[in-house]
């Protein structure tokens, strides 16, 4: 659906606000813990021009879970997951969020990301079809230098009911019904002091080939608005497990990642996941 860039951004922000107040959706999600929904603390959507959704994010110490108190690549993937999903919703005729099939990302610059840096995520649609959506995200620092990029493939089929309710013809009525059933504003959920407080992995065993098995108990803090485990949480957990293995056994030769300054703080340079 065609609209001016400013109107497109306002429409998307209105939809985000409506989703936060809708009583049939959970008020608390892992995106809150990443500070993605709290403009006064970390991130905000600033433009939606030329089919590119721009999101500015200031890295907080609370979300630096990487080695040496850095902001790991898998957390960048977590934000890419969120921003490309909203780009999909904003650009798809039926506003479909879909579910992730695969994601991959690459950290270009040699230095790891640290608290206090401002990152700019530019998410764009490559191709939308009836079933699949292909999206990209480029990450820049405050000077405009590209520092990371990623790709996201989503399964978009949401069924005929969704397509009807979220079509251009029906969406105004759908929005009105959501507002009518939302009631008074719901308070923001409380946060843990640090993201690491909700990502507790327990190493269970190390096999003869060096494979380490971790246990993780999924709880309220790890879910999305629909009540299933947030894809962003999965990405961060994968990174935490990888770094734990690298730090504990840096010379074992079991990792498949490129390291930056391994004697100090290993940094994941490339990551991919398939669901």
């Amino acid at each position: 659906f065609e609209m001016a860039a400013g109107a497109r951004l306002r429409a998307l922000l209105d939809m985000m606000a409506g989703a936060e107040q809708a009583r049939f959706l959970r008020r608390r999600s892992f995106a809150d813990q990443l500070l993605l929904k709290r403009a006064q603390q970390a991130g905000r959507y600033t433009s939606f021009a030329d089919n590119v959704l721009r999101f500015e994010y200031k890295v907080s110490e609370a979300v630096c879970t990487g080695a040496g108190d850095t902001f790991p690549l898998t957390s960048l993937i977590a934000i890419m997951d969120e921003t490309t999903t909203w780009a999909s919703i904003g650009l798809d005729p039926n506003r479909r969020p879909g579910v992730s099939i695969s994601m991959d990302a690459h950290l270009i610059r040699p230095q790891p990301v640290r608290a206090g840096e401002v990152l700019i995520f530019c998410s764009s649609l490559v191709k939308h079809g009836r079933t699949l959506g292909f999206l990209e995200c480029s990450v820049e620092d405050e000077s405009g230098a590209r520092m990371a990029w990623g790709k996201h493939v989503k399964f978009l089929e949401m069924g005929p009911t969704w397509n009807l309710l979220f079509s251009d013809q029906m969406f105004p009525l759908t929005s009105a019904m959501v507002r009518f059933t939302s009631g008074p504003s719901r308070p923001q959920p409380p946060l843990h002091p640090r993201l690491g407080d909700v990502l507790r992995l327990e190493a269970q065993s190390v096999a003869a080939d060096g494979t380490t098995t971790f246990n993780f108990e999924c709880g309220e803090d790890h879910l999305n608005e629909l009540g299933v485990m947030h894809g962003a949480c999965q990405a961060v957990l994968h990174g935490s497990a990888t770094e734990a293995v690298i730090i504990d056994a840096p010379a074992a030769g079991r990792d498949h990642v490129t390291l930056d300054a391994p004697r100090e703080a290993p940094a994941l340079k490339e990551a991919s996941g398939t669901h």
Side-chain angles (χ1 to χ4, degrees):
F1 49 105
E2 296 294 332
M3 63 174 69
R8 173 172 285 163
L9 179 62
R10 287 192 297 273
L12 191 64
L13 293 177
D14 287 345
M15 193 171 180
M16 293 178 186
E20 290 194 13
Q21 297 303 323
R23 292 191 176 278
F24 56 87
L25 296 175
R26 297 180 73 255
R27 183 65 181 87
R28 184 178 187 172
S29 82
F30 185 74
D32 286 288
Q33 197 63 50
L34 270 173
L35 306 180
L36 298 182
K37 296 184 176 182
R38 304 191 177 208
Q40 73 276 18
Q41 294 185 35
R44 63 192 182 99
Y45 292 91
T46 59
S47 68
F48 203 173
D50 299 322
N51 291 342
V52 176
L53 179 60
R54 180 184 172 102
F55 179 74
E56 295 184 7
Y57 183 83
K58 185 173 183 179
V59 179
S60 165
E61 289 184 4
V63 298
C64 289
T65 61
D69 290 328
T70 58
F71 190 65
L73 176 64
T74 46
S75 290
L76 290 175
I77 294 177
I79 300 178
M80 290 179 186
D81 177 35
E82 185 84 2
T83 59
T84 53
T85 296
W86 281 112
S88 173
I89 293 170
L91 294 169
D92 182 72
N94 292 321
R95 299 165 175 84
R96 296 174 296 174
V99 294
S100 297
I101 294 177
S102 66
M103 290 191 72
D104 64 84
H106 307 263
L107 186 63
I108 299 172
R109 77 176 195 185
Q111 306 88 357
V113 179
R114 298 190 180 276
E117 292 192 54
V118 175
L119 309 179
I120 301 164
F121 293 78
C122 299
S123 300
S124 58
L125 172 68
V126 177
K127 182 180 179 182
H128 257 185
R130 291 185 58 186
T131 305
L132 297 178
F134 300 86
L135 300 109
E136 291 182 343
C137 185
S138 177
V139 186
E140 303 172 352
D141 61 24
E142 205 167 10
S143 71
R146 194 183 192 205
M147 54 170 293
W149 63 274
K151 295 181 179 180
H152 192 183
V153 180
K154 298 183 75 74
F155 178 75
L156 293 176
E157 182 57 55
M158 303 291 291
T161 301
W162 178 284
N163 293 340
L164 174 63
L165 293 176
F166 287 85
S167 65
D168 283 347
Q169 294 78 13
M170 288 293 295
F171 185 66
L173 178 60
T174 302
S175 298
M177 290 297 295
V178 170
R179 289 194 298 271
F180 178 76
T181 58
S182 292
S185 296
R186 294 190 289 173
Q188 289 187 326
L191 298 179
H192 292 268
R194 296 184 64 87
L195 181 62
D197 295 340
V198 302
L199 299 174
R200 300 199 178 278
L201 286 169
E202 181 181 349
Q204 286 296 108
S205 62
V206 180
D209 64 356
T211 300
T212 303
T213 301
F214 292 88
N215 274 3
F216 174 74
E217 185 175 347
C218 184
E220 290 288 319
D221 295 307
H222 312 118
L223 306 179
N224 64 17
E225 292 81 356
L226 296 176
V228 298
M229 190 172 185
H230 203 300
C233 183
Q234 296 180 44
V236 177
L237 283 171
H238 290 160
S240 298
T242 301
E243 284 193 341
V245 173
I246 294 170
I247 292 170
D248 289 343
R254 299 199 297 261
D255 55 275
H256 299 277
V257 298
T258 303
L259 301 182
D260 174 55
R263 294 180 182 177
E264 298 177 7
L268 198 63
K269 293 292 186 180
E270 299 182 4
S272 63
T274 302
H275 302 276

